[in-house]
């Protein structure tokens, strides 16, 4: 065998082997897994600041009003309202006429029965009419013999109260009243002053 043939037979396998190794290295390099790129750093999420605590509501006490200086003016000192002590008191009546079996006890019973209503008339106007007051009336009393008496035909003879509403109230009170009487029948005309004042004054 010649020298050139021997060289060819030795060189050719070496070249092929080198190519195979090169291809294997290239294949290894291409198939090697690559590590993924690191993820970008996460930006911190901005959190809303916690709400500031609300302060408790301030309870302000009511203002303190100092007492008035001494001596206090009369207008600054509260005066308690005094109860009205005036009452319709019993007075003397005048008998102008009498017919039949009509007695003084019957007149006193009639006046006693009508006094609460007349008192209410005075009290309704008490704030407008200070001091003692009086309304003098003339009226008729009648008994029909059945144990019942009636009052009617009242008229105002004199009054310290110029208010016509008070005068009408007193006259109308007579129409609402009946009274007990033992008379067998009769009638009388009486004049009586209804006095509205503090007793024993």
């Amino acid at each position: 065998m010649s020298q050139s043939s021997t060289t060819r037979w030795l060189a050719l396998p070496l070249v092929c082997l080198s190519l195979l190794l090169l291809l294997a290295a290239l294949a290894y390099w291409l198939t090697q897994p690559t590590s993924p790129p690191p993820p970008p750093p996460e930006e911190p999420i901005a959190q809303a600041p916690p709400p500031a605590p609300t302060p408790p509501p301030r309870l302000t006490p009511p203002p303190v009003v100092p007492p008035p200086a001494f001596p206090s003016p009369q207008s600054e000192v509260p005066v308690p309202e005094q109860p009205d002590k005036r009452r319709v008191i019993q007075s003397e009546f005048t008998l102008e006429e009498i017919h039949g079996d009509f007695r003084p006890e019957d007149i006193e019973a009639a006046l006693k029965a009508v006094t609460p209503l007349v008192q209410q008339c005075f009290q309704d106007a008490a704030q407008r009419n200070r001091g003692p007051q009086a309304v003098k009336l003339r009226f008729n009393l009648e008994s029909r013999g059945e144990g019942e008496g009636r009052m009617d035909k009242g008229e105002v003879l004199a009054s310290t109260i110029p208010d016509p509403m008070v005068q009408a109230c007193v006259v109308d009170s007579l129409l609402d009243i009946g009274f007990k009487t033992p008379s067998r029948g009769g009638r009388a005309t009486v004049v009586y002053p209804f006095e509205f004042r503090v007793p024993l004054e």
Side-chain angles (χ1 to χ4, degrees):
M1 181 178 286
S2 66
Q3 187 177 0
S4 61
S5 298
T6 305
T7 303
R8 190 172 51 238
W9 283 104
L10 287 175
L12 187 61
L14 288 174
V15 170
C16 290
L17 182 61
S18 298
L19 287 173
L20 285 175
L21 289 175
L22 184 62
L23 288 174
L26 181 62
Y28 175 76
W29 181 76
L30 289 177
T31 58
Q32 184 178 7
T34 59
S35 60
E42 295 183 359
E43 295 182 3
I45 299 175
Q47 295 182 352
T54 56
R58 294 183 178 180
L59 300 176
T60 56
V64 178
V65 179
F70 185 82
S72 304
Q74 187 173 3
S75 60
E76 295 182 11
V77 178
V79 178
E81 187 175 344
Q82 298 293 330
D84 196 342
K85 297 181 180 180
R86 291 175 294 173
R87 299 289 181 268
V88 175
I89 65 167
Q90 186 175 359
S91 303
E92 294 293 329
F93 62 86
T94 302
L95 188 59
E96 289 190 341
E97 287 186 47
I98 189 166
H99 301 280
D101 181 33
F102 216 81
R103 293 170 286 182
E105 302 89 74
D106 301 326
I107 300 171
E108 291 175 0
L111 294 174
K112 185 177 180 181
V114 79
T115 294
L117 290 179
V118 174
Q119 165 123 0
Q120 188 63 50
C121 295
F122 281 112
Q123 286 179 335
D124 289 344
Q127 295 298 323
R128 303 189 302 271
N129 302 281
R130 300 290 183 173
Q133 306 295 336
V135 177
K136 189 175 185 180
L137 296 184
R138 177 188 287 120
F139 50 92
N140 290 341
L141 300 175
E142 183 178 2
S143 171
R144 297 176 180 169
E146 299 175 355
E148 294 289 333
R150 302 294 299 176
M151 308 173 74
D152 64 1
K153 295 184 180 179
E155 61 176 323
V156 177
L157 299 180
S159 175
T160 62
I161 301 177
D163 189 344
M165 297 297 291
V166 177
Q167 298 175 15
C169 178
V170 175
V171 172
D172 290 344
S173 297
L174 306 179
L175 304 178
D176 298 329
I177 288 298
F179 58 94
K180 298 293 183 182
T181 172
S183 300
R184 293 188 297 271
R187 52 190 300 271
T189 301
V190 179
V191 174
Y192 186 76
F194 290 96
E195 296 183 20
F196 183 64
R197 60 182 174 85
V198 178
L200 303 178
E201 186 177 69

